[in-house]
C-alpha cells in the first residue's frame, strides 16, 4: 500500500523537478527551419537550371520583336486612342472643375443645415409664443367625414 502511494507521489511535479512547460511553437521551429532551408536550396538550383535553358533562346528575342513590331505598334495606337487619351481628358476636366464641385457641395450642405436650423428655430419660437391648445373631441364628431358632392350645372340651362 505504501509503495503505490510513493509511486503516485513521485509522478507529481515537485518543487525540485518541474515538468517541461515549453510552448508548442518551440517544437515546430526546427521543422520550419529545415523546410525553409530545403526550399531555398531547391529554388536556387531551379533558377540556375531555368537560366541555363533559356540562354540559347535569347538569340531569338530580337527576331521575334521585329516580326511583332507592326502588331505592337497598332495595339499601342489603339490603346492610346481608346484608353489613355480619354483618361487624360477626363482627369484634366475633373481637376479643373474640382473647385467648382467643392464650392457647390459646400453650398448645398450649408444651405440644408441652415434650412433645417431655421425651420427648427421658427417652430420653437411659435411653440413658445403661441402654444397649440388641445382640440375638443366633441367638435370633431359633428363634422361629416363624407366628402361633399358638387352640383353639376345642366348643359341645357341658360345662365343669365
Amino acid at each position: 500500500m505504501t509503495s503505490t502511494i510513493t509511486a503516485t507521489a513521485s509522478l507529481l511535479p515537485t518543487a525540485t523537478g518541474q515538468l517541461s512547460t515549453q510552448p508548442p511553437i518551440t517544437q515546430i521551429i526546427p521543422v520550419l527551419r529545415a523546410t525553409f532551408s530545403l526550399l531555398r536550396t531547391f529554388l536556387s538550383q531551379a533558377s540556375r537550371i531555368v537560366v541555363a535553358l533559356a540562354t540559347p533562346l535569347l538569340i531569338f528575342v530580337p527576331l521575334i520583336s521585329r516580326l511583332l513590331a507592326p502588331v505592337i505598334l497598332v495595339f499601342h495606337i489603339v490603346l492610346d486612342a481608346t484608353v489613355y487619351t480619354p483618361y487624360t481628358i477626363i482627369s484634366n476636366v475633373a481637376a479643373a472643375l474640382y473647385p467648382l464641385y467643392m464650392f457647390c457641395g459646400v453650398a448645398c450642405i450649408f444651405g440644408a443645415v441652415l434650412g433645417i436650423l431655421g425651420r427648427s428655430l421658427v417652430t420653437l419660437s411659435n411653440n413658445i409664443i403661441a402654444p397649440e391648445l388641445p382640440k375638443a373631441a366633441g367638435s370633431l364628431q359633428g363634422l361629416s367625414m363624407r366628402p361633399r358632392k358638387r352640383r353639376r350645372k345642366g348643359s341645357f340651362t341658360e345662365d343669365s
Side-chain angles (χ1 to χ4, degrees):
M1 180 119 173
T2 57
S3 63
T4 58
I5 294 173
T6 333
T8 309
S10 65
L11 293 177
L12 296 174
T14 60
T16 58
Q18 290 288 331
L19 290 177
S20 175
T21 58
Q22 293 180 350
I25 191 127
T26 58
Q27 299 168 1
I28 295 175
I29 290 175
V31 174
L32 290 177
R33 189 176 295 152
T35 304
F36 284 122
S37 174
L38 183 65
L39 185 65
R40 186 185 65 180
T41 305
F42 174 73
L43 288 178
S44 67
Q45 295 300 325
S47 65
R48 288 181 185 172
I49 291 171
V50 168
V51 168
L53 292 175
T55 303
L57 298 176
L58 293 177
I59 298 170
F60 299 112
V61 171
L63 177 66
I64 294 172
S65 66
R66 292 199 186 189
L67 289 175
L68 294 177
V71 175
I72 293 171
L73 183 65
V74 168
F75 182 71
H76 181 67
I77 291 171
V78 168
L79 191 66
D80 189 40
T82 58
V83 175
Y84 296 139
T85 303
Y87 175 75
T88 305
I89 291 171
I90 289 171
S91 64
N92 288 339
V93 167
L97 294 179
Y98 183 73
L100 181 65
Y101 165 75
M102 287 304 296
F103 176 74
C104 290
V106 168
C108 289
I109 291 170
F110 186 74
V113 169
L114 191 64
I116 291 171
L117 184 64
R119 179 181 176 196
S120 301
L121 288 176
V122 166
T123 304
L124 180 68
S125 66
N126 284 344
N127 287 338
I128 290 173
I129 294 172
E132 293 182 18
L133 297 174
K135 295 181 180 178
S139 63
L140 292 176
Q141 291 176 356
L143 296 175
S144 174
M145 297 305 281
R146 195 173 55 172
R148 289 188 189 182
K149 292 184 179 179
R150 281 187 165 180
R151 266 202 235 168
R152 293 176 109 189
K153 290 185 178 180
S155 57
F156 297 111
T157 58
E158 294 181 16
D159 291 330
S160 304

